[in-house]
Amino acid sequence: MGYLMTFSHVLSFRVVGDGGSISKGKICSLKARAVLIDMEEGVVNEILQGPLRDVFDSKQLITDISGSGNNWAVGHKVFGSLYQEKILEKLRKSAEHCDCLQCFFIIHSMGGGTGSGLGTFLLKVLEDEFPEVYRFVTSIYPSGEDDVITSPYNSILAMKELNEHADCVLPIDNQSLFDIISKIDVMVNSGKLGAAIKPKSLVTSSTGVFKKRQEKPFDAMNNIVANLLLNLTSSARFEGSLNMDLNEISMNLVPFPQLHYLVSSLTPLYTLADVNIPPRRLDQMFSDAFSKDHQLIRADPRHSLYLACALMVRGNVQISDLRRNIERLKPSLQFVSWNQEGWKTSLCSVPPVGHSHSLLALANNTCVKPTFVELKERFIRLYKKKAHLHHYLQIEGMEESCFSEAVSSLSALIQEYNQLDATKSMPVEDLPRLNVAV
């Protein structure tokens, strides 16, 4: 019951099912420890009418009607002030249900107005109200073909807030998620997976027959992010021989305050709902985690510099398997000279349902830099023309200096990664090496 309660609370212990068994029956009123916020009520209403409607506490939802109009300033300056007390009230209520409040997860998009504006306003609220509690942020970055024309403005303004108020950020690129799903689609079309595709899966239509999508498959893309979070929190929910607290991630992977952007990769990538495939060989799973095809942003960590790396393994895997694979992969990976043994590992004995094992890799790696460079270039193209700027400047509290400060903040971050990359060719002093710590 303890692990069940880690990310949820029970309003009532009334159980339905066979004989009142929690494991076999269903706890009525088991609610996620979550606050859902959106300034446009459509998405939240969809959740309340969908299959997950019983998971969330309807009293822990905050919505408006008008939306933020794809404008960071509206989300941050207008709705932030308007809803601050209401948000704090619901956050305190959720926090009161926790015996040991370890961290907050914020999941938001960067391209729109509410996710970027109100989402980053929430970060500052959490820092002020719960200064000792870690803030983990999963940020969905827009692709170059994003249909929100002001997304470069919103993303740049949000980046400044992430730099200043987040403890760890897991950047995820919409385009990478789409590419991953597309690869599964190609395998389905080519017949390589054959009968392995499950009927009514997220990579097929509702009739169980694949059809080419004209729009992005958001459910399947969201499913990958959900699996990332499931693996990230597995040590808090299940037993294991080498569990890792969430606060250990920041402690071990973030050597400098601003360099807190962690590139994530997940293997297997095929979601359980989609594909029945033979489990990957264990060593291949470790290799996959470092390949560019498994990164959740467009990045190739093998050709960039590692500050630190965490391997979070689930399933029937031994510590000796971890050590062997780290030693096998280490020669092909370049770590900063002052942290050559910068590995953090965890073993959770419970694998994802239907898999024998899985691996989440979190890398503090300079390969995240191109994402920020591209974002800055898209911003400059728009800002150079002052296009759409008046929509932001008409909001009380917004000045043009907000943009210049935001782009300066991002430029400083990019420069820090440049300085690290410049050390790649420097020789590593040949000191006695420690054994891999696990």
Side-chain angles (χ1 to χ4, degrees):
M1 183 68 179
Y3 295 112
L4 185 67
M5 299 295 289
T6 306
F7 294 94
S8 56
H9 66 276
V10 175
L11 301 180
S12 165
F13 280 94
R14 182 169 61 89
V15 175
V16 296
D18 58 344
S21 165
I22 287 177
S23 61
K24 294 181 180 178
K26 174 186 175 183
I27 303 178
C28 298
S29 303
L30 179 70
K31 302 297 181 185
R33 299 188 195 277
V35 179
L36 303 186
I37 304 171
D38 199 346
M39 295 297 97
E40 192 277 315
E41 60 187 354
V43 175
V44 172
N45 285 343
E46 270 188 51
I47 292 171
L48 293 178
Q49 294 164 15
L52 297 177
R53 60 185 176 275
D54 294 329
V55 173
F56 297 101
D57 186 349
S58 59
K59 296 177 182 176
Q60 291 294 87
L61 311 177
I62 298 175
T63 61
D64 202 280
I65 298 171
S66 61
S68 297
N70 295 325
N71 188 327
W72 180 91
V74 174
H76 199 88
K77 303 286 187 181
V78 177
F79 287 130
S81 300
L82 188 61
Y83 283 94
Q84 180 173 353
E85 287 307 315
K86 191 172 183 180
I87 290 170
L88 267 174
E89 176 196 338
K90 296 190 183 302
L91 287 172
R92 291 188 190 114
K93 182 179 176 182
S94 286
E96 285 167 4
H97 288 295
C98 301
D99 295 324
C100 178
L101 181 58
Q102 196 171 83
C103 81
F104 288 101
F105 283 104
I106 299 98
I107 306 168
H108 74 127
S109 65
M110 297 283 280
T114 298
S116 67
L118 189 55
T120 54
F121 178 86
L122 177 60
L123 263 181
K124 183 66 168 66
V125 168
L126 289 172
E127 185 179 44
D128 292 341
E129 186 73 12
F130 305 93
E132 304 302 318
V133 183
Y134 282 95
R135 295 170 298 282
F136 278 72
V137 186
T138 302
S139 300
I140 311 300
Y141 283 71
S143 67
E145 295 78 39
D146 188 67
D147 59 357
V148 178
I149 195 168
T150 55
S151 67
Y153 287 163
N154 297 330
S155 300
I156 289 280
L157 291 162
M159 277 291 297
K160 181 176 182 290
E161 305 299 316
L162 292 179
N163 287 344
E164 295 176 357
H165 305 300
D167 291 302
C168 278
V169 180
L170 305 179
I172 295 174
D173 180 3
N174 256 336
Q175 190 60 48
S176 292
L177 296 178
F178 183 63
D179 290 345
I180 288 166
I181 300 303
S182 297
K183 285 169 191 169
I184 301 176
D185 291 348
V186 168
M187 295 178 77
V188 175
N189 273 344
S190 65
K192 287 181 180 177
L193 293 178
I197 297 295
K198 293 183 177 182
K200 296 185 180 178
S201 82
L202 290 177
V203 297
T204 59
S205 71
S206 57
T207 60
V209 178
F210 174 80
K211 62 181 180 181
K212 286 188 177 180
R213 296 190 185 88
Q214 300 303 315
E215 298 178 357
K216 289 185 178 178
F218 291 114
D219 284 346
M221 293 162 71
N222 288 338
N223 207 28
I224 292 173
V225 179
N227 276 284
L228 160 67
L229 295 173
L230 286 172
N231 281 272
L232 185 64
T233 59
S234 59
S235 285
R237 295 182 291 117
F238 303 114
E239 293 180 347
S241 58
L242 193 66
N243 274 353
M244 186 193 302
D245 280 342
L246 289 164
N247 54 17
E248 291 183 71
I249 295 173
S250 180
M251 185 64 67
N252 287 274
L253 266 64
V254 182
F256 307 110
Q258 272 205 316
L259 301 181
H260 54 234
Y261 294 87
L262 307 180
V263 177
S264 53
S265 61
L266 198 59
T267 179
L269 272 173
Y270 303 106
T271 55
L272 176 64
D274 299 333
V275 185
N276 279 322
I277 58 172
R280 300 283 273 173
R281 286 187 306 108
L282 188 61
D283 288 6
Q284 184 62 49
M285 180 181 77
F286 281 89
S287 297
D288 287 346
F290 293 90
S291 75
K292 63 179 181 180
D293 291 338
H294 283 70
Q295 309 304 313
L296 300 191
I297 65 168
R298 285 170 293 169
D300 189 356
R302 279 182 177 271
H303 294 96
S304 299
L305 191 65
Y306 282 87
L307 282 74
C309 184
L311 301 178
M312 307 181 74
V313 183
R314 296 180 63 182
N316 185 23
V317 181
Q318 306 303 315
I319 291 178
S320 58
D321 296 320
L322 264 173
R323 287 198 179 111
R324 186 186 73 254
N325 276 283
I326 288 174
E327 292 299 330
R328 177 177 65 85
L329 291 163
K330 196 190 298 182
S332 65
L333 307 173
Q334 191 164 2
F335 276 72
V336 287
S337 59
W338 41 265
N339 198 23
Q340 287 289 295
E341 303 294 343
W343 297 88
K344 180 66 180 173
T345 55
S346 74
L347 284 175
C348 171
S349 57
V350 180
V353 178
H355 292 296
S356 59
H357 44 252
S358 71
L359 169 62
L360 168 65
L362 299 175
N364 195 332
N365 189 295
T366 60
C367 68
V368 75
K369 182 182 68 174
T371 297
F372 301 151
V373 171
E374 181 186 342
L375 189 59
K376 181 182 173 182
E377 289 171 350
R378 290 180 59 209
F379 168 84
I380 288 172
R381 283 197 298 270
L382 203 60
Y383 189 68
K384 209 163 48 172
K385 301 292 185 183
K386 308 293 185 186
H388 304 280
L389 205 59
H390 63 287
H391 298 300
Y392 291 79
L393 299 180
Q394 69 188 11
I395 302 301
E396 186 178 353
M398 273 301 286
E399 297 176 359
E400 205 161 331
S401 60
C402 296
F403 291 91
S404 56
E405 289 169 9
V407 77
S408 294
S409 173
L410 183 58
S411 297
L413 180 65
I414 292 169
Q415 183 57 27
E416 289 199 49
Y417 284 112
N418 284 335
Q419 290 171 358
L420 284 168
D421 273 335
T423 68
K424 273 198 298 186
S425 56
M426 294 173 60
V428 177
E429 191 176 350
D430 191 17
L431 297 172
R433 302 290 288 274
L434 299 174
N435 291 328
V436 175
V438 291

